[in-house]
Amino acid sequence: MAAVGAVLILLGGMLAHFTQTTNGIRIEDVRFKGAAGNTMSALIYIPPNPTERSPAPGILAVHGYINSRETQDGFAIEFARRGYVVVALDQTGHGYSDPPAFAHGFGGPDGLAYLRSLPYVDKENIGLEGHSMGGWTILAAAAAMPDAYKSLVLEGSSTGKPFAAEGTPTWPRNLAVVFSQYDEFSQIMWGSEYAKNVPQSGKLAAVFGAAGPVEPGRLYGDIGKGTARVLYTPAITHPADHFSHEAIGDSLDWFGKTLTGGTPLPSTDQIWLRKEIGTLIALIGFFVLLLGAFDLLLTWSAFAPLRIGPARSLATTEVLPKGKQWWVAFWVSALLPAVTYYPAFALGNAWLPASRFLPQAFTTDVMVWALLNTVITLALLPFVPKRTSRGGVAVQAALIALATVAVGVLAVWLADLLFKIDFRFWVVALKLPSPTQLMIMLIYLVPFTLFFMVALRTLHANFSRLDAPAIGHYVTTALVLSLGFVVLIGGQYLAMWLGGKLINPFPASPVVPLSTIIGIQFIPLLAAVAVLSTFTWRRTGTSLPGALICGLLVTWYMVAGTATQAAL
């Protein structure tokens, strides 16, 4: 099984690598100093032909909040294929750029200055593209260096409050707004309760110099004078902006009209999805590799006490019979984490702001959710069937968990070294932690591991039998852990589709749109936790190794993939 995982990582990595380096594109992973002495991180996509004597147009591409530079890969690949040099920036406090987030114009001025410093970039033909908070990042760059760029694309973003300078008919220069019909942030961006009504927004009209509603697709102003404006409204959601042929195509069209020196290709000619498929295959291979590594490690004599043999049938184990009590336990277990999700985020946002001791706001919110569910689960333990305890294996469980995750870290490091990729698909991404993030992981590791120790012990006490058919066992545990979020997130987007906006159970809290998007990740992540923990339980008869592996893995995933809002 480990070999299968390694082969999947290799094949997926090769597909992703050859896609993002097509036609001789070169990718460099760089660090550079910002004006305040802070370290900034970026990937540079360099087409094959630019030189100092024959420079190419350049584009600064910036991801949104709690994402990283790789999130803009779709844009970066297509820009580079058309002859643009692309600097895909990690905002401050994101990825490998120094914290805190929101500092130094989100890193936008530093990113633009760095792009302009590259000798093979045409300084007269520079574009800026940013998604969500990345839009505010490039607007900060445009405000700091108003003559340093030629055109700009805001993807799911806006001028003006809360974090950008007010837009006018003349600033920023040659502006394209790509704002989706189901964008979750229409209120905060353009003051419109419903995303489909953004074209009627007075704030948008003021930027376009329009007397009435803005007509999507119509060119306002003059490109030659730098006053051009256009609105695109793809029928997608906010996070889908960077996973959409239409949204990416809109930006390609705009830069094709406003920048010179690129290679003309139809905006429909896009290959970026192959890279996403490649990193998805690698991500699947990563989890298969972990399972195989665990299986191989169990064959070592040091871990022999963990293995289940004929003498360890756990015959005294009690389980819930498949009747009314079983179904009550199933639905309570499945729905309780979803029911507590928004209240926990609202509580964390209100009472535990980012600080030196809890430096990542949304990791803290997830921690509050995890601890709240831990307390509730402990209160319900008297109703959980009693299991025979596997005593004396804690040390072996901890060591095998560390060794298993170490194999995963090695795989991610090699994929970064050989292919310049992380393991991701859309909003689900696993990347190497920076040294700062490793320190932050120590803060959150204990509460997340405690949550998994309690939650997975209860899960397997209720729903696991060593003699259960494997497929049914895996499906049951996966549904118990993820079904509630399928209902919650599915219900929210059904409401968005039918009514035009998300349901907000806490109108006074600003976190519902963002926490809903974060909740999308809970579905595959919790399903993966179910598979990992069930696999390890079926081989050891104890939930402890799986809980420790999941604690390490999820802490890594959360900390490396979100923003650090406070410096340590």
Side-chain angles (χ1 to χ4, degrees), residues 77 176 223 230 275 303 308 326 332 334 336 358 368 373 411 444 487:
I77 289 168
I223 291 175
V230 69
K275 191 263 181 183
F303 300 118
I308 294 179
W326 189 94
V332 169
L336 184 61
L358 294 172
V368 171
N373 280 273
Y444 294 100
V487 173

Side-chain angles (χ1 to χ4, degrees), residues 233-259:
T233 56
I236 52 178
T237 64
H238 185 84
D241 286 341
H242 44 67
F243 202 82
S244 162
H245 283 82
E246 185 177 356
I248 292 173
D250 291 336
S251 67
L252 295 174
D253 282 338
W254 188 243
F255 286 131
K257 293 173 181 176
T258 57
L259 301 180

Side-chain angles (χ1 to χ4, degrees), residues 320-342:
L320 289 173
K322 194 71 173 288
K324 181 179 178 180
Q325 188 179 358
W326 189 94
W327 283 108
V328 169
F330 176 89
W331 286 111
V332 169
S333 300
L335 296 180
L336 184 61
V339 170
T340 57
Y341 183 68
Y342 288 131

Side-chain angles (χ1 to χ4, degrees), residues 390-414:
R390 291 288 312 276
V393 295
V395 172
Q396 291 90 342
L399 291 175
I400 200 171
L402 286 169
T404 300
V405 175
V407 171
V409 172
L410 178 63
V412 178
W413 177 74
L414 287 172

